[in-house]
Amino acid sequence: MKSADQIFLNGNFITMDEKMPEAEAVAVKDGIIMAIGTNEQMRNWIGPETKVEDWSGLTVLPGLHDSHMHLFVYGQALTWVILNDIKSIDEMKEKVAEKAREAMPGQVIMGRGWDQTMFREDRFPNRYDLDEVAPDHPVALSRICGHVTVVNSKALELAGIDRNTKNPIGGEVQKDPGTNEPNGLLLETAKLLFTEKMPPLTTKQRKEMIQTAIAKALENGLTSVTTDDIRGNLIQSIEECMGIYRSIWRDGDPALRVNLMVYQSALEELKSLGLKTGDGDAQVRIGAMKLVQDGSLGARTGVVRDPYENDHENKGLPVHAQKSLDDWVWKGHEYGMQVGIHVIGDAASDACLDAFERAQKKKPRSDARHRLIHFSIVDEEMLDRTQRLGVGADIQPLFVSLNGKRVEEFLGKDRARMTYAWKSMLDKGIPVAGGSDCPVVSIDPLRGIHSLVNRDVSSVPGMVFQPQEKLSVNEAIRIYTMGSAYSTFEEDIKGSIEEGKLADFTVLSADPRRIPEKIKDIDVIMTIVGGKTAYKKKDVPRQ
Ligand SMILES: [Zn+2]
C-alpha cells in the first residue's frame, strides 16, 4: 500500500462534502487529498517518509476562493504611499523619503490620502517639499478627495509642465504669482498631464506588484482567486499576464491558484493563442471573458428600470447599447467562452439576460455558465429567469457593509428589499460565488463570510440591512468554496475536502459556526496550497 506524503491530524475539518461533513484528519499525496476520516483511519497511510502534523483542534475549511477581484490593481495600490493619517508636511516627506530609498532609479512614486487642513504647517505641500526628499524620482500624491495632486519637479519635467503650460479644460496648473513657475499643485484634470506621461511599467515591476498582492491574499486565507488583470491600461497581453503568473509558480514561491478573466478587447489575442475558458491547469487558467454594462450605485451610474429615488431624471448610464452588448456576448459565447458581465442595476441585468438568451438561441451550449458580476438590484421574476438560463451570480458580500446605509435613499423601499438579495438567489437555485472586488473593498474572505451571515452595515452601528436575506454559516462558507469552484468549472478539483481533490486548506483560529457574530475576528493560522504551507501566522495561539 502506498503511503502519504503528509498527514494532518486532530483538525476540526468542515468539509463541504455532504457525504462526510466533518472529519478529524486527512492524508495528502502529491498535493492531492488521498484519504479523509478519523485520526485512527489516517494512521494507516503513514510510511517511513510521511510527515505527520498535529493541528490541535484548529478549524480547517476547504481553501477559500475569491470569485471576483483585481489582483494586479491591488498590488499596484499596495505600492502606494498611504498618507491618510499624517499630521504634517514633515511626515509626508519622511514617508516619501522612505519609498524613494527602496524604489528603483526613475521609478514613479505614487501616493494618496493627505489633507492639508490637518497639517501643523497649515499650508499646502508643494514641489519643493518633495524635491528635498526625492530629487530623482517622479512623485505624485493625491489629496484625500482625489481632486488635487501635488507633484515634484521630476514629475513636472516628465509631464512637460513649465511656466508656459496652459490650463487644460476642467483643470488648473497652479503657479507662483511672482515667478509664474508651477508650484506642483495640479487641480482636477491637470493631473492627467502627468499620468498620461507616466512610463509604462516593466514586466518585472508588474510581477513584483502581483507577488505583493499574492502574499496578502495568502495571508488572508485565500488559495484561489479569479482576477481581472488583462485590459488596456493594466496588463495588455494575455501572454504577458499568464507568463507572470506561471513564472511565480516556477520560482517555487508559495503561490495562489488563479483564473484570469480576459477583457473583451483581448478576445482576438485569445483566439490567436487558441485558448478559451478553462484552458490551462490548476495553477493558472483562463477564466471568463469580461464585459462591463453599467457603473455603480454610489455614482448613480448603475442602469435602473425606474429613475433613482434621489435623482428623478436619472436612470444610469449603460456602457453598451443592446445591439453592441448582444454582439459582444455572441462573440464570446460562439467562441466557447464563459461570459461574465459587471452589472449593478436591474435594467442592466435585463439587458444581459436578453443577450445571453439570444446567444443561447443561436447556438445552444448546455453548460456555458455565463455570469452576472455584482448583480445587485433584482426581483423575483428576474431571479427565475436567471435560474432558467443557467446564469450564475458573482456576489460581493461586503457591498452590504459599504452601501447598506444608502440603498433606500437611492432606490426606495421596494427596490431596497431586493438589493443584495442573496438568500433569495440561493432559494431560487441560482449558482452563487463569493468575491471581494478587491481593492474596491477588503480582500479578507472572512469578512465576506461574516457579511453574508450578519449583513451589518459598517458605518451605522447596529444596522442590519434586509435581515431576511441572512445566510447560515454553512451556506456562507459554501459560497466561498463550492460556489466559487463551480463558477470556474473546477468543482471536481476544488471547493470541498474530499478524496481526489486538491489539498488546499484554510486553517482558522476558531470555528465560525460557534461564533457567527464574530467571524470577522477569526484569524487565519495557515494557508495550505497543494499540501504546502503557503502562509503561516507567527506565534500560533493554542486553543
Ligand atoms: Zn470588479
Side-chain angles (χ1 to χ4, degrees):
M1 192 166 70
K2 64 179 182 184
S3 54
D5 296 333
Q6 292 144 296
I7 307 253
F8 302 117
L9 297 174
N10 289 314
N12 169 29
F13 286 86
I14 303 174
T15 67
M16 293 294 125
D17 171 16
E18 269 134 38
K19 299 186 301 292
M20 190 197 289
E22 294 186 8
E24 270 183 332
V26 299
V28 174
K29 175 96 187 158
D30 300 327
I32 308 283
I33 297 165
M34 69 186 292
I36 172 159
T38 62
N39 289 335
E40 229 16 71
Q41 288 167 330
M42 291 313 107
R43 287 188 201 283
N44 296 332
W45 302 98
I46 297 178
E49 306 282 303
T50 306
K51 282 198 212 128
V52 179
E53 246 179 75
D54 186 328
W55 278 352
S56 338
L58 291 170
T59 294
V60 189
L61 305 182
L64 296 174
H65 180 166
D66 187 319
S67 66
H68 178 71
M69 54 123 61
H70 306 266
L71 205 60
F72 170 67
V73 178
Y74 179 50
Q76 234 175 347
L78 289 171
T79 66
W80 285 35
V81 184
I82 306 300
L83 301 165
N84 291 64
D85 298 322
I86 60 166
K87 299 279 181 283
S88 67
I89 292 172
D90 283 339
E91 264 183 85
M92 177 187 271
K93 288 200 279 194
E94 270 166 44
K95 293 210 175 220
V96 171
E98 192 185 324
K99 205 61 166 189
R101 277 194 295 274
E102 345 170 311
M104 284 176 281
Q107 192 184 327
V108 178
I109 296 173
M110 303 286 285
R112 65 184 147 92
W114 57 270
D115 178 357
Q116 85 291 348
T117 65
M118 312 291 283
F119 288 172
R120 251 196 330 261
E121 293 88 348
D122 197 27
R123 64 167 174 89
F124 275 92
N126 60 43
R127 66 190 284 189
Y128 309 107
D129 295 317
L130 302 178
D131 287 349
E132 280 177 39
V133 288
D136 304 321
H137 301 86
V139 180
L141 312 173
S142 59
R143 195 180 178 278
I144 187 155
C145 61
H147 297 275
V148 185
T149 303
V150 61
V151 301
N152 67 349
S153 298
K154 201 79 188 167
L156 290 170
E157 186 189 312
L158 182 70
I161 297 173
D162 60 25
R163 50 190 305 166
N164 301 316
T165 304
K166 294 203 184 68
N167 289 333
I169 297 167
E172 182 190 345
V173 176
Q174 217 179 67
K175 292 176 184 158
D176 283 328
T179 60
N180 213 31
E181 281 294 325
N183 65 9
L185 289 172
L186 305 177
L187 276 52
E188 304 290 346
T189 57
K191 75 166 171 215
L192 299 176
L193 296 174
F194 171 71
T195 50
E196 281 164 0
K197 293 280 167 54
M198 268 172 56
L201 296 169
T202 62
T203 300
K204 184 163 173 282
Q205 286 170 321
R206 291 194 171 112
K207 180 174 168 182
E208 280 167 5
M209 288 170 176
I210 287 173
Q211 282 171 311
T212 312
I214 286 178
K216 283 279 173 197
L218 294 168
E219 194 180 310
N220 279 280
L222 292 164
T223 57
S224 294
V225 302
T226 298
T227 181
D228 178 11
D229 300 338
I230 301 166
R231 61 168 83 191
N233 54 347
L234 304 176
I235 301 180
Q236 284 182 26
S237 103
I238 297 163
E239 263 191 307
E240 179 185 359
C241 193
M242 288 191 95
I244 288 173
Y245 284 103
R246 288 244 178 265
S247 78
I248 291 171
W249 276 95
R250 262 200 314 273
D251 292 347
D253 292 341
L256 187 68
R257 303 186 192 278
V258 291
N259 279 271
L260 305 175
M261 286 194 114
V262 178
Y263 212 60
Q264 74 205 51
S265 49
L267 186 63
E268 289 311 312
E269 189 199 349
L270 204 56
K271 286 184 178 174
S272 73
L273 294 168
L275 293 171
K276 56 182 73 160
T277 303
D279 285 345
D281 55 33
Q283 298 177 340
V284 183
R285 202 188 289 285
I286 296 291
M289 181 179 100
K290 169 90 183 271
L291 291 169
V292 174
Q293 180 56 12
D294 67 353
S296 72
L297 187 61
R300 290 185 293 232
T301 47
V303 180
V304 284
R305 293 171 181 166
D306 301 309
Y308 282 93
E309 200 75 5
N310 54 356
D311 189 356
H312 290 289
E313 305 288 294
N314 180 14
K315 298 210 270 183
L317 246 155
V319 173
H320 298 277
Q322 187 70 48
K323 174 78 177 63
S324 151
L325 181 64
D326 289 352
D327 286 349
W328 275 114
V329 167
W330 169 245
K331 275 184 208 162
H333 177 86
E334 204 255 332
Y335 177 58
M337 297 297 289
Q338 177 188 42
V339 179
I341 315 181
H342 164 116
V343 283
I344 301 289
D346 45 9
S349 295
D350 290 339
C352 294
L353 291 168
D354 288 347
F356 289 145
E357 191 162 17
R358 283 177 193 135
Q360 283 287 16
K361 238 180 219 138
K362 264 170 71 181
K363 179 180 176 182
R365 278 173 53 195
S366 62
D367 198 16
R369 300 193 196 181
H370 298 316
R371 312 194 66 74
L372 295 173
I373 303 164
H374 310 313
F375 199 33
S376 302
I377 307 163
V378 300
D379 68 14
E380 297 281 340
E381 266 173 56
M382 191 196 294
L383 293 184
D384 285 331
R385 189 176 177 212
T386 304
Q387 192 276 336
R388 263 199 323 274
L389 290 169
V391 170
D394 260 319
I395 63 163
Q396 286 64 43
L398 276 169
F399 283 13
V400 153
S401 176
L402 188 71
N403 297 330
K405 179 181 143 187
R406 299 184 297 176
V407 171
E408 227 175 274
E409 170 198 335
F410 277 67
L411 299 172
K413 262 201 161 44
D414 286 348
R415 284 184 290 183
R417 164 67 191 84
M418 289 302 275
T419 298
Y420 310 133
W422 301 318
K423 173 103 178 114
S424 298
M425 290 179 194
L426 285 187
D427 288 349
K428 295 279 185 195
I430 294 169
V432 180
S436 61
D437 207 15
C438 169
V440 175
V441 294
S442 159
I443 193 173
D444 182 353
L446 290 171
R447 286 187 62 185
I449 291 170
H450 180 96
S451 267
L452 288 173
V453 173
N454 294 287
R455 296 181 70 88
D456 47 344
V457 177
S458 65
S459 52
V460 189
M463 179 176 174
V464 176
F465 181 74
Q466 306 297 338
Q468 72 285 350
E469 295 287 339
K470 282 183 180 182
L471 300 185
S472 72
V473 175
N474 225 54
E475 286 168 329
I477 295 171
R478 180 165 292 276
I479 284 178
Y480 271 86
T481 52
M482 283 307 286
S484 294
Y486 183 84
S487 79
T488 53
F489 299 86
E490 292 176 301
E491 68 274 20
D492 292 336
I493 57 167
K494 291 181 182 174
S496 61
I497 304 176
E498 276 182 76
E499 194 187 314
K501 287 199 177 184
L502 298 166
D504 294 354
F505 309 117
T506 305
V507 185
L508 305 178
S509 61
D511 186 335
R513 298 170 304 185
R514 296 230 182 96
I515 45 169
E517 277 129 48
K518 292 189 175 157
I519 297 172
K520 66 173 163 31
D521 302 327
I522 295 175
D523 284 328
V524 173
I525 302 296
M526 273 183 289
T527 306
I528 310 282
V529 180
K532 292 206 180 97
T533 307
Y535 164 76
K536 185 168 191 170
K537 190 178 193 305
K538 294 180 190 92
D539 308 319
V540 178
R542 284 289 148 200
Q543 290 198 319

